[in-house]
Amino acid sequence: KQEVTQIPAALSVPEGENLVLNCSFTDSAIYNLQWFRQDPGKGLTSLLLIQSSQREQTSGRLNASLDKSSGRSTLYIAASQPGDSATYLCAVSGGGTSYGKLTFGQGTILTVHP
Amino acid sequence: DGGITQSPKYLFRKEGQNVTLSCEQNLNHDAMYWYRQDPGQGLRLIYYSQIVNDFQKGDIAEGYSVSREKKESFPLTVTSAQKNPTAFYLCASSVGGAYNEQFFGPGTRLTVL
């Protein structure tokens, strides 16, 4: 059974810092990995999708890497801003799960203070 | 605007009632999904549908039912058999296939009175 773990559970940083969020998964036979952002009481916003054959994806100040063989992904946020405060979730598709199903980690709550 | 809409935003249910949550998408996606989010437990898959008139159970389907009569609609019914329905419900869609990106709606918060 695929399991996804995110570390740390919460992170508080001052504005302007670069930071890294970690995601690990137990079954490396994944199709892809997605990073999402969730604001309180809202739905999920897709940030980056990395296919299993890719090593990284970039969008603006965000960079996500994938090491499938070791079961790890990182989300790098450059020059953090208070508007980046949210919960960040990673999810994997595949790894012995139902077709198309995403298995989610429990998220990292990020607070960026001015 | 293309996207996924869910209604209502808030829903209150009395004991023994069935309630239906709406999910509509105008992205022309084949696949649709329902997830449940509880504090401290992340998101869990309830049901999914890869094509019209077909759907499969996810990890926690007991006490729920769905239909997929139209490509753009995937309503979820929370029945009285669901003993702990208070949660945040999220609908998602994708083009289809395991490699595709999933997009989420704004969610419905269901509370049992």
Side-chain angles (χ1 to χ4, degrees), chain A residues 13-73:
Chain A
V13 300
E15 182 177 5
E17 270 204 9
N18 301 327
L19 57 99
V20 175
L21 308 181
N22 297 291
C23 173
S24 62
F25 45 94
T26 55
D27 190 328
S28 62
I30 64 170
Y31 299 124
N32 60 45
L33 183 146
Q34 272 187 265
W35 281 96
F36 295 91
R37 169 189 172 132
Q38 186 176 30
D39 293 292
K42 305 292 186 182
L44 277 61
T45 299
S46 181
L47 298 173
L48 290 164
L49 170 74
I50 309 177
Q51 301 291 1
S52 60
S53 59
Q54 297 175 320
R55 295 297 294 251
E56 66 177 327
Q57 282 286 344
T58 299
S59 176
R61 293 183 294 108
L62 306 180
N63 176 277
S65 67
L66 174 64
D67 184 343
K68 198 175 77 163
S69 61
S70 67
R72 294 180 181 180
S73 176

Side-chain angles (χ1 to χ4, degrees), chain B residues 3-82:
Chain B
I4 303 172
T5 58
Q6 292 185 241
S7 62
K9 186 174 181 180
Y10 299 99
L11 185 57
F12 298 92
R13 192 193 94 167
K14 295 181 180 178
E15 294 283 348
Q17 274 186 339
N18 292 351
V19 291
T20 298
L21 284 61
S22 171
C23 177
E24 303 275 335
Q25 54 96 3
N26 61 3
L27 300 169
N28 199 33
H29 285 171
D30 282 318
M32 297 186 74
Y33 311 83
W34 274 106
Y35 293 89
R36 168 180 171 144
Q37 186 175 33
D38 295 280
Q41 294 195 45
L43 279 76
R44 293 178 290 168
L45 182 67
I46 304 172
Y47 268 98
Y48 65 104
S49 168
Q50 296 176 48
I51 198 167
V52 175
N53 293 322
D54 184 58
F55 49 83
Q56 287 80 39
K57 294 181 180 179
D59 297 325
I60 55 166
E62 185 175 353
Y64 299 97
S65 66
V66 294
S67 63
R68 187 84 188 278
E69 298 176 358
K70 298 186 295 183
K71 186 176 185 177
E72 59 270 21
S73 178
F74 191 38
L76 173 73
T77 296
V78 184
T79 74
S80 57
Q82 170 51 237

Side-chain angles (χ1 to χ4, degrees), chain A residues 64-88:
Chain A
S65 67
L66 174 64
D67 184 343
K68 198 175 77 163
S69 61
S70 67
R72 294 180 181 180
S73 176
T74 61
L75 179 67
Y76 175 83
I77 302 178
S80 59
Q81 303 171 358
D84 294 330
S85 298
T87 297
Y88 290 80

